[in-house]
Amino acid sequence: MSKNLRINKNNFIDQTIRISFKFNGQKLFGFKGDTLASALLANDIHLVGRSFKYHRPRGIMTCGSEEPNAIVQIGNDPSSTEPNVRATEIELYEGLEAYSQNCWPSVNFDIGGINNFLSPLLPAGFYYKTFMWPASFWEKYEFFIRHSAGLGKSPTKPDTDLYDHQYAHCDVLIIGGGISGILSAKLAAEKGLNTILIDDKNCLGGSTIYQEDDCFKINNDYSNKWLKKEIDNFKNYPNLLIKKRTSLAAFHGYNYLLAKENLTDHLGANERKNKIRQRLWKIRAKKVVIATGSIERPLIFNNNDRPGILLSSSIKKYIDFFGVKNGNEISLFTNNDSAYETAISLNKSGVKVNTIIDIRENSTSSLVKKIQKIGINILWGHTIVNTNGYKRIKSINVQKLSANGESVVGKRIKINCDCLGMSGGWTPMVHLFTQSGGKLKFKDKDYIFIPDMNKSPSDQISVGSCNGNFELDDLISNTIKNIKIFLDLDKTIYDNLNVVCSKESEKRNIWLLPSDKPLSKTKPFLDFQNDSTAKDVKLALREGFKSIEHVKRYTTTGMGTDQGKLSNMHALGIIADTTGTNMGDLGTTTFRPPFTPLTFGSIVGRNVGEFFDHTRKTAIHDWHVENNAKFENVGQWKRAWYFPKNNETMFQAVQRESKAARDGAGILDASTLGKIDIQGTDASEFLNRVYTNAWSKLAIGKCRYGLMLNEDGMVYDDGVTTRLGENHYIMTTTTGGAANVLSKLEDYLQTEWPELDVYLTTVTDQYSTISICGPRSKNIVKKIIPDLDLSDVNFPHMSFKNSKIDNVNCRIMRISFTGEHSYEINIQSNYAKDVWIKCMEAGKEFNITPYGTETMHLLRAEKGFIITGQDTDGTLTPSDLQMDWIIGKKKYDFIGKRSLYRSDTIREDRKQLVGLLTEDPLEVLEEGAQLVEDINKKPVEMLGHVTSSYFSPNLKKSIALAVVRSGKKLKGKRLIVPMENKNINVTITDTVFYDKENKRLNA
Amino acid sequence: MFIINCPYCGERDQSEFSCGGEAHIERPKQPTELSDDQWAEYLFMRKNIKGIQFERWNHAHGCRKWFNVVRDTSNDKIHAVYKMGERPPLK
Ligand SMILES: [Zn+2]
């Protein structure tokens, strides 16, 4: 049974509500308000994982998002288990199950721990050096690496939780609810500004809210008492929105920010049901106040990574906030005054502080004086040269520092302790400022980077300790002074605050503390998660790495899930010291979003499953569903693909549909084709410029096929355009090209030819298109519209008539994409399904057969009609497609014309569209298959590839279209299609396979 | 994610717009008179400046109008927005 290290304290923890949870299968108890880490520590569990490379035992080190070691897997449900959760951040809830992640087979017996003894063989760049060469070694290592690297397990089943997105616009966004954030929020709200305050914790007030000591007073009250009153008073401001449990993930340009709000992650399973788990806030703020505070630095000394070694400020939070002592005999190691605050807190709670080891020679601040009065032993000018204890620290060895701090002198002192707090000063959290594009400046006096406000990329300000103000009086006065300027305030409620605090008198910063052993025999860890030591950084420098970005990647320092929040500054400091460079000149590594990790769920929000993308359905869609259609996605459209009957395969259905369309009648829902209504006195001239052929002479009531190019001369889109009136056309585009064609045409109209009087309107959704083809199509249309003259003389191919079906206006075009006699009925979409059903009924006696896109493709391939995007790929000119007939030779200009006789486009050996017939008529080629002439000459020369291929039921043989180098000249030539297990012989033919004389158009 | 001040609609989120590349490249009035090199200059050559760049933007999910933007590509600051056909602010 584990010990209870809880002291009786009820401010922030509700010790009346007990919560049970499991850690590595062991049932434990904590209280409401605990984090997983505080509950573990209360149960005297420090050892929570193994380090990444050497598998050294590692314990909880911090109490926040900078935690490098206590990374756990939450739950084991395959749809909701979550890896890489920091035990220091997750709130305890009833039934929580957590597992150590970075250990195999178990945290207490860890096979990778052997690496610890092999560590001389695992220097910086180990991964690069070992796994780069020889390649075959990777296989041997992989098993071990995969098992022992401990990156956690991702869920294997779909996430069943709900996630939300919400947009917010505000005058001021304040990031961080510590004292400087609270002051800023109050001033903004007081001015009547629409203000949002976010904080990642469930409790506002930062570290001040548990700072109850007479060394820190505001208006004669303890700083925590004063701040609590200010927070309580927030409810009087309706214009202030407070979002707790909300962490900022990214700060983009123009004050656009992303934040993740946890809504149920702190609740037990019963309370989570039907609730939204997380909400991603997309915030656009006029002004941003960054008040993200600072993180305490560890100290870099030999074996500074044992379980039981924590940041000093974390020990303080665990005792003051959570009521948990981290040991019974605690020592502190520091280079500044912060550790003395911890000592006071521990002393107040009755925890023995054995010794404070301070590398400074002296300090006379009120904090230090208080400790001296209490009688705690302080070893001035000393350092820790080693620590002992494998799974938990047992003792430390201490020696006096030399005057220059580069070595140790005197005799070794051994001090027993079961917990060690270290304080290496503070690092301002400038990540968000730099993410937004801000530049930092180095403050030599404090060894910190702070925001350079002169290089602020947007309307924002950093206040408090993230701006380098660490002492309470400076922090408060500077925050108020700067916010007054930032928000343009005259007088504020905080103008006459009386602040009392301890002032630090001495500073001594040593990035790498010396030991009594040479560096090569020590393990001073820099990056605890990735196991890189000060030695590794020095080795990287010796091996020639100079840039901090390179050293970082080579040693993997700062590349763990904590993103180097603890290690970056020391790495920089050691590089600066070793190379004799000023830290300010080195610069920092780049901080990239996300600042704190986002779940995939919160990123996608509600856009999952059928909401992943927009789905467009035609007006006739329901009929297709009722009639067993299989659908294919064409862009966002759901298009009927084929209509299988009686368990037909796709091949069988398509063969039947294709035959029926030529023998009797076929009907196709062509509503997805893009339709652009073109009007204006210059409409004809406009078409002349955008299509390759001539349009001026097209008579009203006639249709014409057009080919549209890019300026580079390559085919872009095609379709039939009909002249409805003198100044009125309707253009059809391909289904996929509709939106792009419209925007391209708008571009030319607005920017190159603003003088043209032309108006474009998309009517794709307003009109539906029903295409009826086949020898009996005429009979069917006649039945639906009896008074329409369908004679070839009065209604020839490529012409159009306005008509009515049951008093509903419609446009009938006689155009054909199958080579059959056919009609397209265009009708207002809300009538389309009725008209479709009417056609089906009228066509029953002629065996009218609904067909989908696959049959459409097959039928047009029999006729050699191209599909842009399938037979073309943006590299083919009209001439390459053997469509020279469509180039208006007499036209002075059109889009792409000049490119048609560039040196490259007139080459004769360009790839050109041809037909292919297989030697074996039953052999159907694979689309995309390569074409070669000589299979034996190596390397085999690729001449082209198959673009379309089908078995034609009407010709009873396999047909294909292909692009082949110099294809136009190669008619009759035999080529080979090499496949995995055979070579297929083919012959180059015409592109038209069926009805070469076009007799069937008028059949 | 910057904010663009559409000259027709006002300030809108970047996601409503699409960029059309470098501005003030006029389509030659008589392409057929041009040599291959001259045509290629119009067709392919773009500056892609780091710094102040004159660009075409389209309010694609709004009024569908094209207009010009002066943007510093190094920090996304937009210095001016003006309509098609208007004279660019002094370069
Ligand atoms: Zn607009």
Side-chain angles (χ1 to χ4, degrees):
Chain A
M1 195 59 206
S2 50
K3 284 183 277 181
N4 183 9
L5 293 178
R6 189 81 64 168
I7 60 165
N8 196 14
K9 209 165 188 179
N10 253 339
N11 298 0
F12 303 98
I13 299 293
D14 188 346
Q15 296 202 15
T16 62
I17 303 177
R18 216 163 77 126
I19 292 175
S20 72
F21 68 104
K22 276 185 180 173
F23 181 64
N24 288 333
Q26 186 189 2
K27 192 167 182 182
L28 299 162
F29 293 95
F31 294 114
K32 189 169 166 56
D34 263 326
T35 60
L36 174 59
S38 68
L40 287 171
L41 291 168
N43 285 282
D44 201 26
I45 295 174
H46 277 259
L47 172 62
V48 287
R50 296 274 173 165
S51 67
F52 187 73
K53 205 159 77 180
Y54 306 125
H55 280 244
R56 284 166 70 101
R58 289 283 163 82
I60 296 161
M61 240 189 90
T62 73
C63 55
S65 70
E66 70 273 32
E67 175 60 37
N69 296 335
I71 309 294
V72 296
Q73 180 97 24
I74 298 294
N76 47 23
D77 182 284
S79 66
S80 65
T81 181
E82 194 176 358
N84 298 331
V85 176
R86 284 178 274 264
T88 49
E89 289 191 304
I90 185 165
E91 293 177 47
L92 201 68
Y93 55 83
E94 186 62 38
L96 171 79
E97 288 188 38
Y99 303 88
S100 285
Q101 201 168 276
N102 199 6
C103 55
W104 174 75
S106 83
V107 70
N108 280 306
F109 175 79
D110 185 288
I111 205 161
I114 198 94
N115 287 356
N116 191 21
F117 304 104
L118 296 177
S119 64
L121 306 174
L122 299 172
F126 161 74
Y127 289 93
Y128 296 104
K129 286 169 181 163
T130 311
F131 301 129
M132 289 299 284
W133 184 89
S136 62
F137 269 44
W138 170 248
E139 288 171 23
K140 295 187 178 65
Y141 285 117
E142 192 181 6
F143 175 82
F144 274 91
I145 296 282
R146 294 251 182 264
H147 274 79
S148 51
L151 299 168
K153 293 191 239 5
S154 33
T156 50
K157 294 228 172 104
D159 192 342
T160 52
D161 282 317
L162 276 178
Y163 300 85
D164 228 4
H165 283 178
Q166 184 158 348
Y167 289 89
H169 297 262
C170 61
D171 295 321
V172 187
L173 171 70
I174 292 137
I175 308 160
I179 186 164
S180 48
I182 301 284
L183 295 175
S184 306
K186 194 68 170 280
L187 293 177
E190 182 72 26
K191 199 193 175 181
L193 297 170
N194 171 10
T195 307
I196 300 177
L197 169 66
I198 65 168
D199 191 84
D200 56 354
K201 303 276 192 308
N202 63 359
C203 167
L204 294 180
S207 59
T208 310
I209 204 68
Y210 51 87
Q211 179 68 282
E212 187 171 319
D213 191 80
D214 47 20
C215 286
F216 302 94
K217 285 193 153 179
I218 304 172
N219 283 358
N220 290 322
D221 217 344
Y222 287 136
S223 56
N224 65 327
K225 294 264 161 63
W226 182 86
L227 186 62
K228 177 139 193 333
K229 270 185 269 171
E230 294 303 300
I231 294 169
D232 290 345
N233 167 270
F234 270 159
K235 55 182 177 293
N236 301 332
Y237 297 92
N239 53 326
L240 172 64
L241 174 68
I242 298 173
K243 282 283 152 199
K244 296 182 203 170
R245 295 190 176 100
T246 303
S247 50
L248 204 97
F251 190 162
H252 296 293
Y254 287 67
N255 283 353
Y256 179 70
L257 302 99
L258 297 177
K260 182 191 74 176
E261 182 182 14
N262 275 332
L263 296 164
T264 64
D265 281 355
H266 60 291
L267 301 175
N270 296 340
E271 296 169 279
R272 292 187 185 198
K273 277 192 192 121
N274 303 319
K275 287 185 186 151
I276 293 159
R277 183 187 170 204
Q278 291 170 347
R279 176 175 289 132
L280 186 71
W281 287 83
K282 303 178 175 185
I283 305 165
R284 189 71 85 166
K286 290 199 182 108
K287 286 169 176 281
V288 175
V289 178
I290 302 178
T292 44
S294 51
I295 287 180
E296 194 170 25
R297 295 174 182 169
L299 287 164
I300 311 305
F301 55 99
N302 185 22
N303 287 320
N304 57 346
D305 67 326
R306 303 204 185 281
I309 302 181
L310 288 88
L311 295 180
S312 154
S313 59
S314 298
I315 294 176
K316 175 172 160 58
K317 181 165 186 181
Y318 283 119
I319 195 84
D320 285 346
F321 190 94
F322 296 104
V324 174
K325 45 184 181 174
N326 284 300
N328 287 312
E329 195 168 19
I330 298 177
S331 282
L332 299 168
F333 185 23
T334 189
N335 70 2
N336 70 99
D337 275 359
S338 304
Y340 295 83
E341 294 180 31
T342 306
I344 288 170
S345 288
L346 289 169
N347 183 65
K348 236 182 243 170
S349 296
V351 183
K352 186 184 167 197
V353 179
N354 191 322
T355 310
I356 297 176
I357 300 105
D358 196 323
I359 69 168
R360 298 175 297 178
E361 291 299 339
N362 200 359
S363 173
T364 55
S365 66
S366 54
L367 277 169
V368 173
K369 282 183 182 146
K370 192 164 178 175
I371 288 297
Q372 284 168 327
K373 208 168 153 194
I374 292 167
I376 295 170
N377 180 33
I378 304 170
L379 288 174
W380 294 108
H382 279 65
T383 186
I384 297 178
V385 293
N386 196 14
T387 67
N388 309 294
Y390 186 58
K391 288 179 188 168
R392 177 75 181 262
I393 188 166
K394 287 196 179 102
S395 64
I396 52 177
N397 300 117
V398 176
Q399 254 177 298
K400 186 143 182 61
L401 272 169
S402 67
N404 63 9
E406 286 172 10
S407 59
V408 286
V409 293
K411 69 175 199 316
R412 252 165 93 137
I413 313 164
K414 186 178 171 190
I415 300 167
N416 290 331
C417 60
D418 59 356
C419 175
L420 176 69
M422 52 180 171
S423 178
W426 296 83
T427 300
M429 298 295 276
V430 293
H431 301 61
L432 294 174
F433 175 75
T434 59
Q435 251 189 40
S436 74
K439 297 276 175 276
L440 301 173
K441 60 181 181 192
F442 191 67
K443 205 170 154 191
D444 289 298
K445 186 170 77 79
D446 295 327
Y447 302 92
I448 53 173
F449 284 98
I450 58 169
D452 187 345
M453 288 303 173
N454 297 324
K455 292 177 183 164
S456 187
S458 66
D459 200 353
Q460 58 168 293
I461 191 173
S462 294
V463 297
S465 66
C466 74
N467 192 34
N469 298 129
F470 297 119
E471 295 186 329
L472 192 64
D473 54 350
D474 294 342
L475 182 151
I476 290 176
S477 63
N478 281 326
T479 298
I480 292 164
K481 186 184 82 191
N482 291 331
I483 290 286
K484 279 173 86 166
I485 300 166
F486 186 59
L487 298 181
D488 194 20
L489 308 175
D490 189 16
K491 269 193 176 150
T492 79
I493 46 174
Y494 294 139
D495 281 355
N496 295 310
L497 286 185
N498 175 24
V499 182
V500 174
C501 70
S502 172
K503 300 293 281 180
E504 192 164 81
S505 58
E506 288 288 317
K507 280 193 193 303
R508 187 180 193 186
N509 193 74
I510 301 173
W511 293 113
L512 172 57
L513 291 156
S515 171
D516 53 342
K517 288 188 213 135
L519 182 63
S520 61
K521 297 268 196 269
T522 64
K523 284 213 176 67
F525 283 92
L526 265 184
D527 183 322
F528 296 85
Q529 196 176 83
N530 276 335
D531 264 9
S532 51
T533 65
K535 274 189 295 189
D536 294 326
V537 169
K538 291 204 168 205
L539 177 66
L541 293 169
R542 279 205 304 279
E543 291 188 356
F545 292 90
K546 289 203 175 69
S547 138
I548 172 69
E549 295 284 357
H550 291 160
V551 172
K552 169 182 161 178
R553 280 161 184 79
Y554 192 59
T555 61
T556 69
T557 301
M559 290 179 71
T561 57
D562 57 335
Q563 299 196 343
K565 290 189 178 92
L566 289 180
S567 59
N568 278 342
M569 286 305 292
H570 299 90
L572 272 177
I574 290 167
I575 293 170
D577 284 353
T578 312
T579 57
T581 322
N582 183 310
M583 276 184 79
D585 299 335
L586 269 180
T588 60
T589 57
T590 314
F591 302 113
R592 294 192 176 85
F595 174 61
T596 48
L598 284 177
T599 54
F600 282 110
S602 64
I603 294 168
V604 294
R606 298 292 175 105
N607 305 321
V608 292
E610 62 178 314
F611 300 115
F612 182 68
D613 194 9
H614 300 272
T615 302
R616 300 175 78 184
K617 295 171 180 170
T618 73
I620 310 164
H621 184 86
D622 290 348
W623 189 94
H624 304 327
V625 173
E626 286 156 25
N627 287 272
N628 199 31
K630 299 285 178 224
F631 291 89
E632 74 167 331
N633 295 329
V634 182
Q636 292 170 332
W637 285 104
K638 293 278 171 203
R639 292 202 71 178
W641 196 11
Y642 58 99
F643 292 84
K645 272 186 182 171
N646 312 323
N647 299 322
E648 278 176 323
T649 62
M650 176 172 170
F651 179 81
Q652 290 165 334
V654 171
Q655 294 289 305
R656 172 180 52 74
E657 291 169 12
S658 303
K659 194 104 182 47
R662 295 215 191 277
D663 291 349
I667 182 167
L668 172 80
D669 180 1
S671 307
T672 63
L673 289 179
K675 303 173 211 57
I676 300 170
D677 187 89
I678 302 172
Q679 299 192 42
T681 51
D682 294 315
S684 301
E685 171 60 18
F686 179 66
L687 288 172
N688 270 333
R689 296 187 191 185
V690 300
Y691 278 132
T692 61
N693 45 351
W695 290 80
S696 310
K697 287 180 188 147
L698 184 72
I700 294 168
K702 296 290 183 190
C703 315
R704 181 164 288 171
Y705 173 77
L707 206 54
M708 202 180 288
L709 310 184
N710 271 327
E711 284 291 13
D712 60 7
M714 304 304 156
V715 172
Y716 178 70
D717 203 80
D718 65 344
V720 170
T721 295
T722 302
R723 189 166 196 174
L724 302 173
E726 176 64 27
N727 298 320
H728 191 186
Y729 290 83
I730 183 133
M731 171 189 281
T732 54
T733 73
T734 58
T735 298
N740 292 337
V741 169
L742 180 69
S743 97
K744 180 186 162 98
L745 298 184
E746 276 288 353
D747 187 353
Y748 276 91
L749 266 183
Q750 289 180 32
T751 67
E752 299 293 353
W753 309 320
E755 71 281 5
L756 293 186
D757 174 38
V758 176
Y759 303 90
L760 306 175
T761 311
T762 169
V763 291
T764 303
D765 294 307
Q766 283 72 14
Y767 288 98
S768 289
T769 306
I770 298 167
S771 171
I772 303 173
C773 76
R776 311 312 294 268
S777 57
K778 194 185 216 170
N779 307 63
I780 295 165
V781 175
K782 188 80 202 165
K783 275 176 78 177
I784 302 166
I785 319 171
D787 50 353
L788 186 63
D789 181 355
L790 296 178
S791 66
D792 286 343
V793 180
N794 287 320
F795 197 179
H797 180 57
M798 295 307 263
S799 64
F800 125 91
K801 294 235 183 283
N802 277 315
S803 187
K804 280 186 185 204
I805 301 175
D806 292 348
N807 280 329
V808 179
N809 289 325
C810 62
R811 292 170 181 156
I812 315 286
M813 276 87 167
R814 216 187 129 189
I815 52 180
S816 174
F817 193 42
T818 60
E820 295 296 317
H821 189 126
S822 52
Y823 300 89
E824 262 187 16
I825 302 168
N826 284 278
I827 190 144
Q828 207 177 301
S829 282
N830 44 342
Y831 296 107
K833 195 179 162 196
D834 288 342
V835 171
W836 175 278
I837 292 168
K838 216 176 167 64
C839 294
M840 288 302 298
E841 280 163 5
K844 213 168 198 169
E845 57 176 305
F846 308 106
N847 186 30
I848 191 167
T849 300
Y851 66 91
T853 49
E854 192 65 18
T855 292
M856 174 186 84
H857 286 185
L858 190 158
L859 294 173
R860 65 85 207 181
E862 288 179 337
K863 289 294 296 174
F865 296 146
I866 59 158
I867 290 192
T868 55
Q870 174 161 347
D871 302 295
T872 71
D873 59 2
T875 66
L876 297 170
T877 66
S879 181
D880 296 337
L881 294 167
Q882 306 215 35
M883 290 172 80
D884 302 77
W885 54 268
I886 205 168
I887 309 290
K889 299 276 181 333
K890 288 181 206 149
K891 280 169 71 172
Y892 180 70
D893 192 15
F894 55 82
I895 297 172
K897 176 175 169 112
R898 176 61 187 80
S899 290
L900 294 180
Y901 54 94
R902 291 178 55 235
S903 58
D904 184 59
T905 46
I906 56 173
R907 276 190 299 116
E908 294 202 340
D909 62 346
R910 292 178 61 82
K911 284 190 179 169
Q912 291 149 354
L913 189 77
V914 296
L916 291 180
L917 286 175
T918 48
E919 193 176 71
D920 173 1
L922 296 179
E923 182 82 66
V924 180
L925 298 172
E926 235 175 68
E927 286 173 1
Q930 297 287 321
L931 287 154
V932 306
E933 187 177 359
D934 186 348
I935 199 84
N936 296 314
K937 200 181 122 217
K938 305 280 161 55
V940 179
E941 206 178 359
M942 302 297 183
L943 299 179
H945 66 274
V946 178
T947 59
S948 295
S949 171
Y950 306 91
F951 186 81
S952 160
N954 299 301
L955 296 159
K956 298 193 175 59
K957 64 181 177 190
S958 156
I959 57 167
L961 296 171
V963 288
V964 175
R965 194 192 302 164
S966 309
K968 280 193 222 174
K969 291 192 293 195
L970 298 179
K971 203 164 152 187
K973 180 149 186 98
R974 290 173 62 115
L975 293 176
I976 299 165
V977 176
M979 297 303 291
E980 202 175 14
N981 44 21
K982 62 184 166 189
N983 293 325
I984 305 168
N985 293 320
V986 297
T987 307
I988 293 184
T989 68
D990 246 355
T991 53
V992 184
F993 301 98
Y994 188 76
D995 183 30
K996 289 186 203 266
E997 302 79 26
N998 291 331
K999 285 182 186 156
R1000 300 185 63 88
L1001 281 173
N1002 293 316
Chain B
M1 290 291 256
F2 32 106
I3 291 173
I4 299 173
N5 189 5
C6 170
Y8 304 93
C9 308
E11 291 190 339
R12 294 289 190 280
D13 192 274
Q14 182 193 344
S15 57
E16 293 186 15
F17 299 84
S18 60
C19 183
E22 194 179 330
H24 304 297
I25 297 175
E26 204 179 332
R27 186 175 190 272
K29 287 274 180 288
Q30 298 171 315
T32 45
E33 321 271 302
L34 301 182
S35 69
D36 271 11
D37 284 350
Q38 288 169 318
W39 179 245
E41 184 67 29
Y42 159 72
L43 199 54
F44 301 122
M45 297 308 177
R46 298 294 181 269
K47 290 199 198 85
N48 197 21
I49 294 163
K50 180 183 179 183
I52 302 288
Q53 181 162 279
F54 292 69
E55 301 172 333
R56 291 152 22 92
W57 282 80
N58 180 220
H59 195 181
H61 299 288
C63 62
R64 279 167 51 197
K65 283 284 194 181
W66 284 89
F67 55 92
N68 295 311
V69 168
V70 184
R71 180 174 68 107
D72 188 331
T73 59
S74 67
N75 58 19
D76 286 339
K77 284 238 164 67
I78 291 176
H79 294 281
V81 171
Y82 54 103
K83 293 178 180 175
M84 282 295 160
E86 286 182 354
R87 289 183 63 183
L90 285 178
K91 292 194 184 186

